[in-house]
Amino acid sequence: MIPWSHIHPLRVPPVLVLFAAAGWILAGGCRSYHVGNQFSFRSDIRTVHVGIFDSDSFRRFTGQRLTEAVIREIELRTPLTITEPALADSYVQGRIIRDTKQVLGENRLDDPRTLSYGWQLEVTWVDRAGVPLMQRQLLRLNDDVTFIPEAGQSLASAEIELIESLARQIVGQMEMPW
């Protein structure tokens, strides 16, 4: 076997390669690469207060359940800290405008077999001065889920799925645009 130094006339010492790589990194060679979620969100906003979502629905506690889901999602996916209104840099507020339940399919005895359950929301995220922080000043979300009672699914399980989906969408809108 022929040694590598005899094949390649220009041999670079490994220490020199190590110093060159360290200098490249220190000079900002990896500047465009980021790890973690702190770069997906605004750096000037550190705290947020999530107000209890208002609800025009006749179903009880829908606004509170959505508020809890949004808070969980913010804590899970963002570097923001949830705090009380007096200490917050920003505020998330929302309203459930409408909820719908529709029969999508029936059996021959007119019993519902497949149903759809959906909500329409309005959400805002503003700073202390009232300046909107989302890409759109007023975010309108429509979402619905389908459930089949005969398969063991219920309105309660559909509502949980819907709330989690809407909370993910709200926090997704809090990210900075690309």
Side-chain angles (χ1 to χ4, degrees):
M1 184 164 158
I2 302 173
W4 184 76
S5 60
H6 293 294
I7 295 174
H8 196 281
L10 181 65
R11 181 174 177 172
V12 179
V15 173
L16 187 59
V17 172
L18 182 65
F19 281 126
W24 181 72
I25 290 171
L26 290 175
C30 295
R31 189 176 327 155
S32 63
Y33 298 103
H34 302 293
V35 177
N37 63 0
Q38 67 269 21
F39 296 104
S40 297
F41 297 91
R42 297 176 61 107
S43 60
D44 58 334
I45 303 295
R46 303 229 186 254
T47 59
V48 63
H49 173 74
V50 181
I52 295 178
F53 279 68
D54 293 327
S55 177
D56 293 341
S57 172
F58 292 109
R59 299 184 195 283
R60 294 174 47 123
F61 306 116
T62 54
Q64 290 89 337
R65 292 178 66 201
L66 181 59
T67 303
E68 291 170 1
V70 169
I71 289 171
R72 272 194 312 271
E73 198 69 21
I74 287 172
E75 289 174 340
L76 181 68
R77 289 181 43 197
T78 74
L80 299 172
T81 303
I82 304 294
T83 187
E84 59 187 63
L87 302 174
D89 294 336
S90 62
Y91 306 93
V92 173
Q93 300 169 344
R95 175 180 216 84
I96 301 169
I97 299 171
R98 183 175 47 177
D99 67 339
T100 58
K101 185 171 104 174
Q102 298 175 343
V103 176
L104 301 178
E106 299 175 336
N107 65 11
R108 59 188 168 102
L109 301 174
D110 289 334
D111 293 329
R113 296 193 72 160
T114 306
L115 294 106
S116 173
Y117 181 59
W119 286 358
Q120 183 178 15
L121 303 177
E122 287 183 348
V123 180
T124 59
W125 182 35
V126 296
D127 64 6
R128 287 183 187 201
V131 176
L133 299 173
M134 287 188 192
Q135 292 124 1
R136 288 179 268 169
Q137 185 170 357
L138 179 66
L139 176 65
R140 288 186 184 263
L141 294 174
N142 291 311
D143 201 0
D144 61 343
V145 294
T146 303
F147 67 101
I148 304 169
E150 291 178 350
Q153 298 171 332
S154 66
L155 182 63
S157 63
E159 188 173 64
I160 290 170
E161 183 181 341
L162 181 65
I163 287 171
E164 291 173 355
S165 171
L166 287 167
R168 281 191 301 273
Q169 289 180 47
I170 290 167
V171 174
Q173 289 295 318
M174 294 171 75
E175 292 181 2
M176 289 180 25
W178 286 76

